[in-house]
Short mmCIF file of all heavy atoms in Angstrom, two decimals:
data_model
loop_
_atom_site.label_atom_id
_atom_site.label_comp_id
_atom_site.label_asym_id
_atom_site.label_seq_id
_atom_site.Cartn_x
_atom_site.Cartn_y
_atom_site.Cartn_z
N GLY A 1 -176.86 -93.93 -2.63
CA GLY A 1 -176.84 -94.41 -1.27
C GLY A 1 -177.91 -93.77 -0.43
O GLY A 1 -178.81 -93.10 -0.93
N LEU A 2 -177.80 -93.97 0.88
CA LEU A 2 -178.73 -93.44 1.86
C LEU A 2 -178.08 -92.29 2.61
O LEU A 2 -176.99 -92.45 3.17
CB LEU A 2 -179.15 -94.53 2.84
CG LEU A 2 -179.99 -94.11 4.04
CD1 LEU A 2 -181.34 -93.58 3.59
CD2 LEU A 2 -180.17 -95.28 5.00
N VAL A 3 -178.74 -91.14 2.61
CA VAL A 3 -178.24 -89.97 3.33
C VAL A 3 -179.39 -89.32 4.08
O VAL A 3 -180.56 -89.47 3.73
CB VAL A 3 -177.58 -88.94 2.41
CG1 VAL A 3 -176.33 -89.52 1.75
CG2 VAL A 3 -178.56 -88.44 1.36
N GLN A 4 -179.05 -88.56 5.12
CA GLN A 4 -180.06 -87.82 5.85
C GLN A 4 -180.35 -86.49 5.16
O GLN A 4 -179.53 -86.00 4.38
CB GLN A 4 -179.62 -87.60 7.29
CG GLN A 4 -178.37 -86.77 7.46
CD GLN A 4 -177.96 -86.64 8.91
OE1 GLN A 4 -178.59 -87.21 9.80
NE2 GLN A 4 -176.92 -85.88 9.17
N PRO A 5 -181.50 -85.89 5.42
CA PRO A 5 -181.80 -84.59 4.83
C PRO A 5 -180.70 -83.58 5.13
O PRO A 5 -180.18 -83.50 6.24
CB PRO A 5 -183.11 -84.19 5.50
CG PRO A 5 -183.76 -85.49 5.82
CD PRO A 5 -182.63 -86.41 6.21
N GLY A 6 -180.34 -82.81 4.11
CA GLY A 6 -179.26 -81.84 4.22
C GLY A 6 -177.90 -82.40 3.84
O GLY A 6 -176.94 -81.63 3.72
N GLY A 7 -177.82 -83.70 3.63
CA GLY A 7 -176.57 -84.33 3.27
C GLY A 7 -176.24 -84.19 1.80
O GLY A 7 -176.97 -83.55 1.03
N SER A 8 -175.13 -84.82 1.40
CA SER A 8 -174.64 -84.71 0.03
C SER A 8 -174.27 -86.07 -0.53
O SER A 8 -173.88 -86.99 0.21
CB SER A 8 -173.41 -83.80 -0.03
OG SER A 8 -173.71 -82.48 0.38
N LEU A 9 -174.39 -86.20 -1.83
CA LEU A 9 -173.94 -87.36 -2.58
C LEU A 9 -173.37 -86.89 -3.91
O LEU A 9 -173.77 -85.84 -4.42
CB LEU A 9 -175.07 -88.34 -2.85
CG LEU A 9 -175.57 -89.23 -1.71
CD1 LEU A 9 -176.80 -90.00 -2.19
CD2 LEU A 9 -174.49 -90.19 -1.26
N ARG A 10 -172.47 -87.69 -4.45
CA ARG A 10 -171.91 -87.41 -5.76
C ARG A 10 -172.08 -88.65 -6.64
O ARG A 10 -171.52 -89.70 -6.35
CB ARG A 10 -170.44 -87.04 -5.68
CG ARG A 10 -169.83 -86.56 -7.00
CD ARG A 10 -168.33 -86.52 -6.91
NE ARG A 10 -167.71 -85.89 -8.06
CZ ARG A 10 -166.49 -86.18 -8.50
NH1 ARG A 10 -165.75 -87.07 -7.87
NH2 ARG A 10 -165.99 -85.55 -9.55
N LEU A 11 -172.85 -88.50 -7.71
CA LEU A 11 -173.07 -89.58 -8.64
C LEU A 11 -172.08 -89.49 -9.79
O LEU A 11 -171.72 -88.40 -10.23
CB LEU A 11 -174.49 -89.55 -9.21
CG LEU A 11 -175.64 -89.53 -8.20
CD1 LEU A 11 -176.97 -89.57 -8.95
CD2 LEU A 11 -175.53 -90.69 -7.23
N SER A 12 -171.66 -90.64 -10.28
CA SER A 12 -170.76 -90.71 -11.42
C SER A 12 -171.34 -91.64 -12.48
O SER A 12 -172.00 -92.62 -12.16
CB SER A 12 -169.37 -91.23 -11.01
OG SER A 12 -168.76 -90.39 -10.06
N CYS A 13 -171.08 -91.32 -13.73
CA CYS A 13 -171.50 -92.16 -14.84
C CYS A 13 -170.41 -92.15 -15.89
O CYS A 13 -170.10 -91.10 -16.45
CB CYS A 13 -172.82 -91.66 -15.43
SG CYS A 13 -173.35 -92.52 -16.92
N ALA A 14 -169.85 -93.32 -16.15
CA ALA A 14 -168.77 -93.45 -17.11
C ALA A 14 -169.24 -94.20 -18.35
O ALA A 14 -169.82 -95.28 -18.25
CB ALA A 14 -167.59 -94.18 -16.48
N ALA A 15 -168.99 -93.62 -19.51
CA ALA A 15 -169.33 -94.25 -20.78
C ALA A 15 -168.10 -94.94 -21.35
O ALA A 15 -166.98 -94.41 -21.29
CB ALA A 15 -169.84 -93.21 -21.77
N SER A 16 -168.31 -96.12 -21.90
CA SER A 16 -167.22 -96.86 -22.51
C SER A 16 -167.73 -97.62 -23.72
O SER A 16 -168.94 -97.80 -23.89
CB SER A 16 -166.57 -97.82 -21.51
OG SER A 16 -167.50 -98.79 -21.06
N GLY A 17 -166.81 -98.10 -24.54
CA GLY A 17 -167.17 -98.86 -25.72
C GLY A 17 -166.75 -98.17 -27.00
O GLY A 17 -165.82 -97.37 -27.02
N SER A 18 -167.44 -98.49 -28.07
CA SER A 18 -167.11 -97.96 -29.39
C SER A 18 -167.73 -96.59 -29.59
O SER A 18 -168.77 -96.44 -30.24
CB SER A 18 -167.57 -98.94 -30.47
OG SER A 18 -166.96 -100.21 -30.32
N ILE A 19 -167.08 -95.58 -29.03
CA ILE A 19 -167.60 -94.22 -29.02
C ILE A 19 -166.83 -93.35 -30.00
O ILE A 19 -165.60 -93.27 -29.93
CB ILE A 19 -167.52 -93.61 -27.61
CG1 ILE A 19 -168.37 -94.42 -26.64
CG2 ILE A 19 -167.96 -92.15 -27.64
CD1 ILE A 19 -168.18 -94.02 -25.20
N PHE A 20 -167.57 -92.70 -30.88
CA PHE A 20 -166.97 -91.71 -31.76
C PHE A 20 -167.04 -90.32 -31.14
O PHE A 20 -166.06 -89.58 -31.15
CB PHE A 20 -167.63 -91.73 -33.14
CG PHE A 20 -167.09 -90.69 -34.07
CD1 PHE A 20 -165.86 -90.86 -34.68
CD2 PHE A 20 -167.79 -89.53 -34.35
CE1 PHE A 20 -165.34 -89.91 -35.55
CE2 PHE A 20 -167.29 -88.56 -35.21
CZ PHE A 20 -166.05 -88.76 -35.81
N SER A 21 -168.21 -89.98 -30.60
CA SER A 21 -168.38 -88.70 -29.95
C SER A 21 -169.58 -88.76 -29.01
O SER A 21 -170.46 -89.60 -29.17
CB SER A 21 -168.57 -87.56 -30.96
OG SER A 21 -169.78 -87.71 -31.66
N ILE A 22 -169.60 -87.86 -28.03
CA ILE A 22 -170.72 -87.75 -27.10
C ILE A 22 -171.32 -86.36 -27.23
O ILE A 22 -170.66 -85.36 -26.93
CB ILE A 22 -170.27 -88.01 -25.65
CG1 ILE A 22 -169.68 -89.41 -25.53
CG2 ILE A 22 -171.45 -87.84 -24.70
CD1 ILE A 22 -169.17 -89.75 -24.14
N ALA A 23 -172.56 -86.29 -27.68
CA ALA A 23 -173.21 -85.01 -27.90
C ALA A 23 -173.72 -84.41 -26.60
O ALA A 23 -173.70 -83.19 -26.42
CB ALA A 23 -174.36 -85.16 -28.89
N ALA A 24 -174.21 -85.25 -25.69
CA ALA A 24 -174.77 -84.77 -24.45
C ALA A 24 -174.79 -85.88 -23.42
O ALA A 24 -174.88 -87.06 -23.77
CB ALA A 24 -176.19 -84.22 -24.65
N MET A 25 -174.73 -85.52 -22.14
CA MET A 25 -174.88 -86.46 -21.05
C MET A 25 -175.76 -85.80 -20.00
O MET A 25 -175.73 -84.58 -19.83
CB MET A 25 -173.54 -86.85 -20.43
CG MET A 25 -172.56 -87.47 -21.41
SD MET A 25 -171.04 -88.10 -20.62
CE MET A 25 -171.66 -89.66 -19.94
N GLY A 26 -176.55 -86.62 -19.32
CA GLY A 26 -177.44 -86.07 -18.33
C GLY A 26 -177.91 -87.09 -17.32
O GLY A 26 -177.58 -88.27 -17.39
N TRP A 27 -178.70 -86.59 -16.38
CA TRP A 27 -179.26 -87.41 -15.32
C TRP A 27 -180.77 -87.27 -15.28
O TRP A 27 -181.30 -86.15 -15.32
CB TRP A 27 -178.69 -87.00 -13.95
CG TRP A 27 -177.23 -87.30 -13.80
CD1 TRP A 27 -176.18 -86.47 -14.04
CD2 TRP A 27 -176.67 -88.54 -13.37
NE1 TRP A 27 -175.00 -87.11 -13.78
CE2 TRP A 27 -175.26 -88.38 -13.37
CE3 TRP A 27 -177.21 -89.77 -12.98
CZ2 TRP A 27 -174.40 -89.41 -13.00
CZ3 TRP A 27 -176.35 -90.79 -12.62
CH2 TRP A 27 -174.96 -90.60 -12.63
N TYR A 28 -181.44 -88.39 -15.22
CA TYR A 28 -182.88 -88.47 -15.00
C TYR A 28 -183.13 -89.13 -13.66
O TYR A 28 -182.27 -89.81 -13.11
CB TYR A 28 -183.56 -89.28 -16.10
CG TYR A 28 -183.60 -88.61 -17.46
CD1 TYR A 28 -182.46 -88.51 -18.24
CD2 TYR A 28 -184.80 -88.10 -17.96
CE1 TYR A 28 -182.50 -87.91 -19.49
CE2 TYR A 28 -184.85 -87.51 -19.22
CZ TYR A 28 -183.70 -87.42 -19.97
OH TYR A 28 -183.75 -86.83 -21.21
N ARG A 29 -184.33 -88.94 -13.14
CA ARG A 29 -184.70 -89.65 -11.92
C ARG A 29 -186.17 -90.05 -11.99
O ARG A 29 -186.97 -89.41 -12.66
CB ARG A 29 -184.43 -88.82 -10.67
CG ARG A 29 -185.30 -87.57 -10.52
CD ARG A 29 -184.86 -86.77 -9.30
NE ARG A 29 -185.66 -85.57 -9.12
CZ ARG A 29 -185.40 -84.63 -8.22
NH1 ARG A 29 -184.36 -84.76 -7.41
NH2 ARG A 29 -186.20 -83.57 -8.13
N GLN A 30 -186.48 -91.12 -11.29
CA GLN A 30 -187.85 -91.61 -11.23
C GLN A 30 -188.17 -92.05 -9.81
O GLN A 30 -187.55 -92.97 -9.28
CB GLN A 30 -188.06 -92.77 -12.20
CG GLN A 30 -189.51 -93.19 -12.33
CD GLN A 30 -189.75 -94.06 -13.54
OE1 GLN A 30 -188.84 -94.72 -14.04
NE2 GLN A 30 -190.98 -94.05 -14.04
N ALA A 31 -189.11 -91.36 -9.21
CA ALA A 31 -189.59 -91.70 -7.87
C ALA A 31 -190.78 -92.62 -7.98
O ALA A 31 -191.47 -92.64 -9.01
CB ALA A 31 -189.95 -90.43 -7.11
N PRO A 32 -191.07 -93.39 -6.93
CA PRO A 32 -192.22 -94.29 -6.97
C PRO A 32 -193.52 -93.56 -7.31
O PRO A 32 -193.84 -92.52 -6.71
CB PRO A 32 -192.27 -94.86 -5.55
CG PRO A 32 -190.85 -94.78 -5.08
CD PRO A 32 -190.32 -93.51 -5.67
N GLY A 33 -194.25 -94.08 -8.28
CA GLY A 33 -195.52 -93.49 -8.67
C GLY A 33 -195.43 -92.25 -9.52
O GLY A 33 -196.47 -91.64 -9.81
N LYS A 34 -194.23 -91.85 -9.91
CA LYS A 34 -194.06 -90.64 -10.70
C LYS A 34 -193.37 -90.95 -12.03
O LYS A 34 -192.72 -91.97 -12.18
CB LYS A 34 -193.25 -89.60 -9.93
CG LYS A 34 -193.92 -89.08 -8.68
CD LYS A 34 -193.11 -87.97 -8.04
CE LYS A 34 -193.80 -87.40 -6.82
NZ LYS A 34 -193.02 -86.30 -6.20
N GLN A 35 -193.54 -90.03 -12.97
CA GLN A 35 -192.88 -90.15 -14.25
C GLN A 35 -191.40 -89.83 -14.13
O GLN A 35 -190.98 -89.08 -13.25
CB GLN A 35 -193.52 -89.22 -15.28
CG GLN A 35 -194.97 -89.53 -15.60
CD GLN A 35 -195.53 -88.60 -16.66
OE1 GLN A 35 -194.80 -87.80 -17.26
NE2 GLN A 35 -196.82 -88.71 -16.91
N ARG A 36 -190.62 -90.41 -15.03
CA ARG A 36 -189.21 -90.09 -15.08
C ARG A 36 -189.04 -88.65 -15.55
O ARG A 36 -189.69 -88.20 -16.50
CB ARG A 36 -188.48 -91.05 -16.01
CG ARG A 36 -186.98 -90.90 -16.01
CD ARG A 36 -186.31 -92.00 -16.83
NE ARG A 36 -186.57 -93.33 -16.29
CZ ARG A 36 -186.01 -94.44 -16.74
NH1 ARG A 36 -185.13 -94.39 -17.73
NH2 ARG A 36 -186.33 -95.61 -16.19
N GLU A 37 -188.16 -87.90 -14.88
CA GLU A 37 -187.93 -86.51 -15.23
C GLU A 37 -186.45 -86.23 -15.43
O GLU A 37 -185.60 -86.86 -14.81
CB GLU A 37 -188.49 -85.57 -14.15
CG GLU A 37 -187.76 -85.64 -12.82
CD GLU A 37 -188.19 -84.57 -11.83
OE1 GLU A 37 -188.91 -83.64 -12.23
OE2 GLU A 37 -187.81 -84.67 -10.65
N LEU A 38 -186.18 -85.28 -16.29
CA LEU A 38 -184.81 -84.82 -16.49
C LEU A 38 -184.40 -83.95 -15.31
O LEU A 38 -185.08 -82.98 -14.98
CB LEU A 38 -184.70 -84.04 -17.79
CG LEU A 38 -183.33 -83.41 -18.08
CD1 LEU A 38 -182.28 -84.47 -18.31
CD2 LEU A 38 -183.42 -82.47 -19.29
#
C-alpha cells in the first residue's frame, strides 16, 4: 500500500498447493530502474 515516511506496513505471503516441504521463504524487491534484490 501507500504510507508516509516513518510509517509501517506488514506484508504476508501464503503458500498453498501440493507441498511436501518448504526449505526457505523470503522477500525480494525491485524499484524502477534497479535490479531485483533480496
Side-chain angles (χ1 to χ4, degrees):
L2 173 64
V3 296
Q4 63 182 3
S8 298
L9 285 174
R10 187 193 188 209
L11 306 183
S12 299
C13 174
S16 62
S18 301
I19 298 171
F20 178 76
S21 66
I22 300 178
M25 301 186 79
W27 293 94
Y28 289 74
R29 67 185 180 187
Q30 188 164 25
K34 296 185 178 181
Q35 296 182 7
R36 187 173 298 187
E37 68 172 349
L38 176 66

